[in-house]
Amino acid sequence: MNSAHRNTRVAEIDWPTLEHAYGDASDVPGWIEGLGDAEKVEESLHELWGAVLHQGTLYDSTAPAMTSIAAALGARQTADAENTAWLLLMFADAVRDYEQVGLEDPETVALVRSARESLIGIAQLVRPLISDDGPEAAAAALLQAAAHTHPCAQRTVDSAALAARAGSRPAGYVEQACVAALTTLGADVSPALADGDPGLAMAATLARIAVGGNQTRDLDALVRGWELAVEVVPNIAFGVGTLPEWLSAVNSGAAAHVLAALPVPDEAAISGLVDVVIGSRSNAAAAVRRLLAVAALPGTEPETMIAALRQCPPTPEVCDALVALAEQVTDGGTATIGSSAFDTDARSDAAFALLRAGDGRWSRPMAQALLTNPAARGLMVATSVSGRSALGHALIREHAPSATMLVAAILQALRRDPPADPSRDGAGHLVTLLASWPAETVVGALPQVRELLGVAPKAVADALTAWGDTASIDRLREAGGSGDAAVLLAVARLTMDRNDFHRVLDADPRYMESAVLELWADHTDPRFLDWCRSLVGTDPAAGVYQRGDQLTALRILAEADSGAAVTGWPVLRSLIDAGTEPIEDAIRLALDWRAQRLLPPEAHTDFEALLADLVVTDRTNYSGPLVKTGVAAAVALLDLGLPLPGTPARVAKLVARAVTDEWARDLGLRLAERLTVTSAPVRRAVAKKLRSLVDRDERFDSTGDIAVEDERALARLRPILHDLEAD
């Protein structure tokens, strides 16, 4: 990777040798030039943000591009100075985020160091703007602080321009930004504050808090001057959403104290308290106490508090509050994510949180939502901080148990009119939920489910098959007559007739190969085996589901003919070597073949060498390292009774990276548990890494509710760590 250039002249940079998110950076000069054109500036900013600083990612083109942008902005040659300045501040935030991670990869470390150095030059280039009056002047002031507040940064900032502007009167938002920048840099701001301007004083207070200050006088001043702070914070934190959001992001301890002290917290403050809960382990308890107190206040909106509390660790007090709040909800609502609107019901959200917590009281509010909400058939339930899923699908994933009350409620929901938009109809997911329960508990649902065959044919066909409803065979045949492979497969499962199974293949079972592989009755059927061979092919498939089908087909073929393992080994090996999902299944199949001695000795040796290589060599794809791959290989080596390759530090890094990855965490914890009986040097190295993760304030990333999953992970990790640290 090329080092970042400090050159400010676009023409003197060899852009084609640099990269951004979508390839080589030869298109960057055109985008930078477009910043000066009123008709092109919006598109140019969009492209620069999306490619050169894609989702806050740094590339070797990022620093030279940002330096060139700063040169144009500092020379007042951009058609949209405000948003150009915003882009530079986002770059500064990205550099800071990288520095806070604790980088180990030398190439990335060098990239970030170069980016940090470029920030110093950027600050110098935009410094003349401080004398202007637009938002870019405030941004230029903030960039002075952003460039010089890291321990590795050169303390060469000339604060004269900041001090001169901070003392200007009448004071406005640019002066506030200058005071904040000077405060952040540790400079003396008393001359600017001498006349007691409240906005400037608040800017200094917020800046001290932003760098970790928790002095009582500052926190009390923020509580007393909250309304003023709401006005000031956008001026000292460019592009900030709300004051509570900003406060919880920069100083969770201060946020917990201040937001809890507000006499009447609004929705923004409640959201800020939730941000504290999901962002800080040490300050979560205080934030949860305040949220519970607010939830108990008369007149509190139950929907707002359910949305907040369902993201908290599910203590008995939180569960009690969710139950009480759900009783206060009488109807549903709507929500929007992006351009999509969908139906919601706070009772179902509360119930889902209780279900995840293992609280048996979940079924009552869930049934109430399904029974009384006119939109129950299309409800979406909150499954994470920002994600929602069709209600039936979410309950299936959580293995929701059946109950007579719930069956009746689901049937009532299915009787409702479907949504105007068919894509929002969750009837199929609700039917699939019914089908996941024992047949004896849903026997009364059969007639009504049959009537939905035309609405959700696959889900209904699967349900009727799961319940062994042979009386519906003729109806299913009629429904599958047009070539619906899902319905035809249901018919075959009920009749167990080979000809019916063949009709599934005749119908072209595209996109449902996994179901056919799982449910085909006769694995000795020559036509089925030929179809399996076509799925395997000669190379790994592009999609994760297709790769899963390849693995299943390989297993079936080897079960039918042991020689198929030898012919299939090159494909299986390629799947493992690529390291992509489903990597665990691929390694497990190879382990099974090895245990059954289906492969020649040289393949066994090759497999062991491949596993070792996966442990010591990072596999990557377009989104970065494939964290699960090395851990899965390490577990497999231990299963084989083989030592792990690499140094103790490498093994510890492998474990820590998996434990902090939401997709690889379970596998990482399993590996850590296995390592409690390994050599002392490895135990010590792994324990040291894991101890730092347990003791840190930041929570683990998650696929669902952050605080809930973090608490679960810690509950599993602490006893493992205890064993690792034991003498």
Side-chain angles (χ1 to χ4, degrees):
M1 184 177 292
N2 295 41
S3 62
H5 296 257
R6 291 287 305 279
N7 203 317
T8 63
R9 296 186 62 180
V10 175
E12 295 182 7
I13 298 173
D14 191 5
W15 295 103
T17 66
L18 306 179
E19 293 183 348
H20 56 51
Y22 302 107
D24 76 75
S26 56
D27 41 11
V28 171
W31 296 335
I32 295 175
E33 183 179 353
L35 297 177
D37 188 328
E39 295 183 358
K40 297 180 180 179
V41 64
E42 182 178 356
E43 179 184 357
S44 294
L45 286 167
H46 175 76
E47 296 291 352
L48 289 165
W49 164 249
V52 179
L53 196 59
H54 180 70
Q55 297 181 351
T57 304
L58 298 179
Y59 305 91
D60 57 358
S61 67
T62 308
M66 294 300 156
T67 303
S68 299
I69 291 167
L73 179 64
R76 301 173 176 84
Q77 294 175 348
T78 60
D80 185 347
E82 178 177 356
N83 284 307
T84 303
W86 173 85
L87 185 63
L88 294 174
L89 283 167
M90 292 305 98
F91 170 58
D93 286 346
V95 175
R96 181 200 61 204
D97 291 343
Y98 268 83
E99 291 169 337
Q100 291 177 343
V101 169
L103 301 169
E104 297 180 3
D105 173 55
E107 191 174 40
T108 306
V109 169
L111 178 69
V112 175
R113 184 185 302 113
S114 181
R116 165 58 62 183
E117 292 172 356
S118 73
L119 271 176
I120 298 172
I122 286 171
Q124 295 171 347
L125 288 167
V126 301
R127 191 174 299 153
L129 299 177
I130 295 174
S131 61
D132 292 355
D133 292 324
E136 65 274 16
L142 299 175
L143 281 166
Q144 308 307 304
H148 295 87
T149 50
H150 189 266
C152 296
Q154 302 174 21
R155 299 287 180 151
T156 58
V157 65
D158 180 3
S159 60
L162 290 171
R165 186 60 192 262
S168 300
R169 294 295 181 273
Y173 65 89
V174 178
E175 287 73 24
Q176 292 172 5
C178 290
V179 165
L182 288 166
T183 303
T184 302
L185 291 167
D188 180 15
V189 294
S190 56
L193 303 181
D195 60 356
D197 183 283
L200 297 181
M202 182 57 70
T205 297
L206 292 172
R208 286 191 293 270
I209 291 173
V211 295
N214 282 296
Q215 294 187 15
T216 301
R217 64 181 178 85
D218 283 335
L219 301 183
D220 290 346
L222 180 52
V223 173
R224 291 192 307 271
W226 184 257
E227 292 185 4
L228 175 61
V230 170
E231 298 176 2
V232 172
V233 72
N235 304 331
I236 64 102
F238 212 72
V240 69
T242 66
L243 175 54
E245 177 186 355
W246 172 82
L247 187 60
S248 61
V250 300
N251 191 329
S252 58
H257 176 93
V258 171
L259 296 175
L262 295 178
V264 184
D266 57 11
E267 282 197 36
I270 291 170
S271 179
L273 286 166
V274 173
D275 287 341
V276 172
V277 172
I278 66 178
S280 169
R281 292 169 178 166
S282 63
N283 295 294
V288 171
R289 284 195 298 271
R290 181 54 172 159
L291 288 169
L292 288 170
V294 174
L297 293 175
T300 296
E301 291 186 3
E303 292 84 358
T304 299
M305 296 314 303
I306 287 173
L309 290 175
R310 56 163 295 277
Q311 298 179 56
C312 296
T315 62
E317 295 79 8
V318 168
C319 290
D320 288 346
L322 286 169
V323 171
L325 289 165
E327 289 292 335
Q328 301 175 37
V329 179
T330 57
D331 54 20
T334 58
T336 302
I337 294 180
S339 59
S340 301
F342 43 85
D343 297 304
T344 63
D345 195 304
R347 292 170 292 188
S348 66
D349 287 347
F352 190 74
L354 292 167
L355 172 64
R356 278 185 164 176
D359 192 311
R361 294 174 291 178
W362 75 275
S363 58
R364 177 178 172 82
M366 185 65 73
Q368 289 176 333
L370 291 166
L371 287 168
T372 64
N373 192 325
R377 183 160 156 167
L379 285 180
M380 300 281 281
V381 68
T383 54
S384 67
V385 175
S386 58
R388 286 187 172 267
S389 178
L391 179 58
H393 178 69
L395 293 179
I396 292 167
R397 292 191 64 180
E398 291 297 321
H399 306 289
S402 63
T404 302
M405 173 173 52
L406 283 172
V407 173
I410 291 171
L411 293 177
Q412 173 64 24
L414 292 173
R415 294 187 191 102
R416 302 279 186 183
D417 292 334
D421 180 358
S423 67
R424 293 170 60 183
D425 191 352
H429 294 293
L430 292 174
V431 169
T432 302
L433 175 62
L434 289 173
S436 71
W437 292 338
E440 60 270 17
T441 67
V442 294
V443 62
L446 188 57
Q448 186 173 337
V449 169
R450 284 176 180 156
E451 298 306 315
L452 291 168
L453 186 58
V455 176
K458 182 182 185 307
V460 171
D462 286 345
L464 297 178
T465 305
W467 298 333
D469 182 28
T470 56
S472 294
I473 289 177
D474 290 341
R475 183 178 294 194
L476 287 169
R477 283 193 189 280
E478 182 180 353
S482 61
D484 189 323
V487 178
L488 291 173
L489 180 60
V491 172
R493 292 170 62 196
L494 287 170
T495 66
M496 298 302 290
D497 185 293
R498 175 177 284 195
N499 291 327
D500 283 329
F501 277 103
H502 286 178
R503 290 187 183 96
V504 177
L505 297 183
D506 293 337
D508 185 14
R510 195 173 305 173
Y511 307 122
M512 55 171 300
E513 291 89 347
S514 299
V516 175
L517 288 166
E518 177 187 357
L519 302 170
W520 196 278
D522 181 8
H523 283 190
T524 66
D525 182 348
R527 185 173 177 191
F528 173 65
L529 293 175
D530 284 342
W531 180 70
C532 287
R533 293 185 189 97
S534 72
L535 292 180
V536 171
T538 58
D539 299 298
V544 61
Y545 293 111
Q546 290 76 18
R547 291 193 293 272
D549 293 339
Q550 281 183 304
L551 292 173
T552 305
L554 282 166
R555 184 182 295 277
I556 291 170
L557 290 169
E559 289 171 353
D561 176 8
S562 60
V566 176
T567 57
W569 170 243
V571 175
L572 178 55
R573 190 195 188 285
S574 296
L575 285 166
I576 297 171
D577 191 26
T580 53
E581 291 286 21
I583 184 63
E584 286 183 86
D585 293 337
I587 290 176
R588 190 178 301 115
L589 180 57
L591 288 172
D592 289 346
W593 284 359
R594 187 182 186 280
Q596 298 171 45
R597 300 186 180 277
L598 300 182
L599 298 173
E602 58 269 22
H604 293 175
T605 304
D606 181 32
F607 175 49
E608 294 169 9
L610 176 57
L611 291 176
D613 184 64
L614 291 175
V615 172
V616 300
T617 306
D618 292 332
R619 297 298 195 270
T620 61
N621 65 4
Y622 63 92
S623 61
L626 298 169
V627 177
K628 186 183 288 187
T629 303
V631 188
V635 171
L637 285 172
L638 294 176
D639 287 340
L640 293 171
L642 299 173
L644 294 185
T647 64
R650 170 67 188 182
V651 175
K653 177 183 176 182
L654 193 70
V655 174
R657 194 164 61 176
V659 169
T660 54
D661 183 273
E662 61 266 40
W663 306 107
R665 182 166 301 126
D666 180 70
L667 199 54
L669 290 169
R670 282 160 48 195
L671 176 58
E673 194 169 32
R674 296 286 296 275
L675 293 174
T676 57
V677 293
T678 192
S679 65
V682 172
R683 286 203 319 273
R684 285 194 295 267
V686 173
K688 182 179 179 181
K689 278 282 190 182
L690 294 182
R691 172 56 64 188
S692 67
L693 298 178
V694 168
D695 291 345
R696 72 179 188 177
D697 195 43
E698 180 185 357
R699 294 193 184 274
F700 294 131
D701 290 336
S702 77
T703 59
D705 291 318
I706 295 173
V708 176
E709 292 192 15
D710 180 75
E711 295 287 337
R712 290 177 180 173
L714 288 177
R716 289 185 60 188
L717 186 53
R718 287 192 175 106
I720 296 173
L721 183 57
H722 176 271
D723 292 342
L724 286 167
E725 293 176 334
D727 293 334

